[in-house]
Amino acid sequence: MGYSSARLEAFNNRIKVTIRMAYGFHRVTNLIALIMLRCSGLDIRLPQPTI
């Protein structure tokens, strides 16, 4: 029975994309916080205006 590393590869890709998004951050702690937020699985939405 073979094992797949797809889940690990997807996680690694998400981190790489986040690092590219965070280009220009002045502090490494901000980058780490962004990676932890994106990889946590939380669904954070921006506030929507009420009509």
Side-chain angles (χ1 to χ4, degrees):
M1 171 164 56
Y3 292 102
S4 173
S5 62
R7 197 174 281 185
L8 180 62
E9 290 295 327
F11 191 70
N12 189 27
N13 188 36
R14 182 174 285 192
I15 290 174
K16 286 181 181 181
V17 169
T18 305
I19 289 172
R20 276 185 266 154
M21 279 178 41
Y23 181 75
F25 277 13
H26 295 284
R27 299 181 187 264
V28 175
T29 54
N30 293 342
L31 171 63
I32 293 170
L34 182 62
I35 289 172
M36 291 176 69
L37 182 63
R38 285 190 46 119
C39 295
S40 68
L42 290 175
D43 187 26
I44 298 176
R45 299 183 186 263
L46 295 174
Q48 298 293 325
T50 56
I51 298 175

